[in-house]
Amino acid sequence: MKYAEIKNFIGGKYVSSSSNKTMDIISPLDGTLLSKVPLSNNEDLNIAVVAAQKAFETWSKTSIKERVQIFYRYRALLEKNMLELSQLVQEENGKTLDEARAEVEKSIELTEFACSLPQLIGGEILEVSKGVECRTDFCPIGVVASIVPFNFPSMVPNWTIPNALALGNTMILKPSEIVPLSSIKIAELLKEAGLPDGVLNIVNGDREIVEAICDHSGIEAVSFVGSTKIAKVVYARASASFKRVLALGGAKNHLIVLPDAHPTMTATNVTASMSGCAGQRCMAASAMVAVGNVDHIIEQICAEAKKVIPGENLGAVISQTAKERIENYITEAEAQGAKILVDGRNTIVKGKEKGTYVGPTVIDFVTPEMSVAKEEIFGPVISIMRAKTVDEALTIENNNQYGNAAAVFTQDGGMARYIIEHASAGMIGVNIGVPVPREPFSFGGWNDSKFGVGDLTGKSSIEFWTKLKKTTTKWNAQAKTNWMS
Ligand code: NAD
C-alpha cells in the first residue's frame, strides 16, 4: 500500500473511525493499491459535528477580513504544493498530469474568489424614514456539509470550502470514498495556513454517512455534487429534515454544430470536450447534433480523436466497472444500428495492464431514443445525431432530462443568439466545448442537473452560505414619529 491508511480529520487531528469497515483505494492508472479509507458511521459524524459547533462559536465572530487572510495563505500553499497535489489527483482519479494541474489551478482561482468576498458582501444601508435607518448583514448559517464526487478530487471540494468558510461557517466535508486522498491534503494545507481546529472536518464514508448528514439536526445546510440519482435522494432527505440544500446532478451536454462552423476550431473543441478527463466531466460534450451536412467536420473530429492516445494524452476511467459500463453502451448502440467511426473499446495500455482505459469513441447515426443519446455515459464517447433544421436540433436538446451545459458551433451571430435563447441548459457555449463560467460567474445547471435555488460558486454562493439580517435603527428621540418609528 503506497500511503498510510486514511483517517477522519476532526478538530484539527486525525481520528480513527469507530467503524471497522474500510474500502481499498485503487489507482485507475495501473491498479496500484494506494490506501484504505474508513466507511464511517453516525458516531463519527456526531464527534465531527460537535467539533464544528465548538469552532463555530469563535470562527463566526471573527471579521471576514481576518478570515480571508487564511485563504490568501492557502492560495500561496496551493501554488507551492502544485506538483504534489496534481500527482495525488492523477494517482487517485486517473486523469493526466496536465488535467490534474489544471484542476489545482482552478482551485487557486476559486480561492482567489473567496479572498474577494469582503469586497462583495458589504450589506446595504438606507435612511428609510427621517432618523431611521435600515441595514442588512450577511451572517454565517452554522455547521454546513459538503458532499463531493470522484471526478474532481481537488476542484469540487474547493467549490465549497473557501466560500463557505470565509463567510463564517464551519464544515463537514464528505469526500468521495473513491478519491479521498486529495481532501486530506487540502485540510493539511488549510491547517498550515492557520485555519483554526474544527473549522473544516473530514468524515470519510459512503451511503451511510451521507444519509446521516442529511438527517443530522446539528447541520444547517448541505451541498451535494454527484449523479442525478443521488442528488435527488440527498435533496429530498436533507430538505425533509428542514435543511437548506443545493444538489448538483449529472449531465448530458449537447453540442449543436452548423454547416458554417469553423471546421478546425469545432473539431478540436468537440474532441477536447468529449475526451478531456476521459469524458468524466459534468461539462463534457456527450451528444452532438449535426445540423444539415457537416460531414467534413465529422471527418476532422475523427482525425482529432485518433490523436488522443490512452495512457499518453488520455487518462483512465475511474474503475473496471466504469470501463465495462461505457463499453456496453457502445456495443448496444452498434447493435441498434449506430455506426462506430472511432472505437475505444478493449483498450489496454502497455505496461499498465491493470489500468482502466477506454479510447476516444465517435458514434454516428445515433437516434434520439437510443441509450447513448439519452443517458450520461461518463466516458470519452460522443454520440452524433443528425437533424435537418436548427429547431429539430433544439427539440432533441430540449427533450433531454438534463440541462447542465449546451454549446453551438457557428459563425452566424444571429443563429447563435437564437440557440442561446432556446437551449434548455444553465451554461451555454458559443464555439466553446466546455463552457464553464469562470469566477466571479456562478456554476450550476438546470432541469435534472440541479435541485435547489441559486448556484454553488461565484456570487450566487453568497446567498446559499449566509442568512440575511435586517436591522432597523433609530437613535434620535426627537425625530418625528410615524407608523414606522
Ligand atoms: P455519485 O452520485 O455516485 O457520488 C457522489 C457522492 O454521493 C459521493 O460522495 C458518494 O459517496 C455519495 N453516494 C453515492 N451513492 C450514494 C447513495 N446511494 N446514497 C447516498 N450517498 C451516495 O457520483 P460520482 O460517481 O462520484 O460522480 C459522478 C457524477 O457526478 C456524474 O453524474 C457527474 O455528472 C456528476 N457531477 C456533477 C457536477 C455538476 O456540477 N453538476 C460536477 C461534478 C460531477
Side-chain angles (χ1 to χ4, degrees), residues 147-151 159 174-177 207 210 224-227 230 248-251 282 376 378 404 443:
I147 302 163
V148 294
F150 80 79
N151 62 333
W159 275 1
K174 207 302 279 176
S176 162
E177 65 277 29
R207 175 183 182 159
V210 170
F224 172 90
V225 181
S227 61
I230 311 301
L248 274 54
C282 65
E376 181 174 40
F378 228 49
N404 217 36
F443 189 100

Side-chain angles (χ1 to χ4, degrees), residues 5 17-22 38-39 41:
E5 194 164 323
S17 165
S18 57
S19 129
N20 52 13
K21 285 190 270 175
T22 60
L39 301 180
N41 58 25

